[in-house]
């Protein structure tokens, strides 16, 4: 199982961009990189996923390194509602979560 | 987006009893479902992976006889905690996906189990 490493916490001000990094150096060539976020006492929410190319959706952008050993989740303009724990996962046959990054957003 | 309904959201039971948690995919067929438990301020810990019609695959250290998982249909999976003990008190979360890693996973709202 590919292991992911993320910083424990990050801070941002409202309306500023946020770059959340993730290392997944043991990822295999067919593992998709997924990002989810979780609010307290709720199930995780899907954010974005990709394989090799950068991906954009209405919530965020995902930048994947050329060697696929790392990726960055980009929130273009953080809002207070973006405060959550963000998990980066490398989906093999299982969806295993690492420790995640707790994002704080200040007004 | 797709919806996964998990029920009940909260349950309190006595030690020694069994509790069943249901996870339903409401608008798609879930070929794979995952079950997690989460302790306060910790990450989600995968308990088992179940594919419709097959026996669940349990993670190391998870007792299959204690945590019974059934995935009898493409829209329903159940987790039964048997002979519950206070240390089984936790937040249990299910996830369902219509495919494998190419598609996103959708999560239930979680079940807070308290064993007294």
């Amino acid at each position: 199982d590919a292991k992911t490493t993320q910083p424990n916490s990050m801070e941002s001000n409202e309306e500023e961009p946020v770059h959340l990094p993730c290392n997944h150096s043991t990822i295999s060539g067919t593992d998709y990189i997924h990002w989810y976020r979780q609010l307290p006492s709720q199930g995780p929410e899907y954010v974005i996923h990709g394989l090799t190319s950068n991906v954009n959706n209405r919530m965020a952008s995902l930048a994947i390194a050329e060697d696929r050993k790392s990726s960055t989740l980009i929130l273009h303009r953080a809002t207070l509602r973006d405060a959550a724990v963000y998990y980066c996962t490398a989906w093999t046959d299982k969806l295993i979560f690492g420790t995640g990054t707790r994002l704080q957003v200040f007004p | 987006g797709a919806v996964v309904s998990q029920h009940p959201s909260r349950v309190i039971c006595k030690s020694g009893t069994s509790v069943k948690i249901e996870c339903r995919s409401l608008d798609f067929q879930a070929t794979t479902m995952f079950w997690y438990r989460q302790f306060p301020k910790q990450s989600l810990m995968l308990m088992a992976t179940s594919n419709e019609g097959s026996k669940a695959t349990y993670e190391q250290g998870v007792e299959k006889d204690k945590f019974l998982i059934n995935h009898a249909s493409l829209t329903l999976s159940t987790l039964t905690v048997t002979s519950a003990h206070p240390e089984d008190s936790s937040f249990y979360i299910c996830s369902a996906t219509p495919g494998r890693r190419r598609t996103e996973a959708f999560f239930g709202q979680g079940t807070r189990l308290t064993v007294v």
Side-chain angles (χ1 to χ4, degrees):
Chain A
D1 300 329
K3 180 180 169 59
T4 60
T5 305
Q6 299 175 255
N8 288 332
S9 63
M10 292 185 67
E11 297 177 353
S12 174
N13 293 318
E14 211 174 1
E15 302 204 355
E16 289 184 354
V18 180
H19 290 231
L20 298 168
C22 179
N23 287 322
H24 30 76
S25 57
T26 60
I27 195 171
S28 77
T30 56
D31 293 346
Y32 277 74
I33 300 156
H34 285 241
W35 284 80
Y36 297 84
R37 68 183 185 183
Q38 186 182 27
L39 296 172
S41 298
Q42 293 186 25
E45 174 189 27
Y46 167 78
V47 178
I48 201 166
H49 76 287
L51 184 62
T52 56
S53 304
N54 294 344
V55 184
N56 300 297
N57 65 22
R58 63 176 179 81
M59 290 182 69
S61 294
L62 175 61
I64 301 172
E66 198 169 330
D67 62 6
R68 294 197 354 109
K69 293 184 185 299
S70 65
S71 62
T72 302
L73 178 70
I74 303 165
L75 306 179
H76 295 285
R77 293 181 63 189
T79 69
L80 297 178
R81 289 178 296 178
D82 291 325
V85 178
Y86 286 78
Y87 294 100
C88 160
T89 72
W91 190 338
T92 57
D93 291 327
K94 301 182 278 191
L95 192 56
I96 293 179
F97 287 74
T99 54
T101 296
R102 182 173 301 277
L103 175 65
Q104 290 182 283
V105 180
F106 298 105
Chain B
V3 177
V4 172
S5 176
Q6 187 173 339
H7 178 81
S9 57
R10 289 179 178 270
V11 60
I12 300 173
C13 70
K14 293 183 178 180
S15 290
T17 62
S18 296
V19 174
K20 180 183 284 188
I21 302 170
E22 290 189 350
C23 180
R24 293 181 184 272
S25 57
L26 298 184
D27 52 3
F28 66 96
Q29 293 184 327
T31 57
T32 302
M33 286 188 171
F34 303 104
W35 285 95
Y36 301 85
R37 65 188 298 181
Q38 184 176 35
F39 293 106
K41 299 194 182 301
Q42 294 187 21
S43 181
L44 288 78
M45 185 192 79
L46 180 66
M47 300 175 67
T49 302
S50 82
N51 295 301
E52 186 266 340
S54 303
K55 288 185 178 180
T57 301
Y58 290 80
E59 293 300 298
Q60 191 172 9
V62 178
E63 300 176 57
K64 63 177 68 175
D65 294 331
K66 180 169 182 60
F67 298 99
L68 302 179
I69 291 172
N70 184 280
H71 190 171
S73 79
L74 284 171
T75 59
L76 175 64
S77 177
T78 59
L79 166 67
T80 302
V81 182
T82 63
S83 187
H85 289 279
E87 55 264 34
D88 298 326
S89 298
S90 188
F91 192 52
Y92 292 86
I93 305 168
C94 72
S95 173
T97 175
R100 299 281 177 121
R101 47 211 155 158
R102 295 176 182 268
T103 60
E104 61 261 44
F106 303 96
F107 289 81
Q109 62 268 49
T111 297
R112 177 78 57 194
L113 170 63
T114 303
V115 183
V116 297

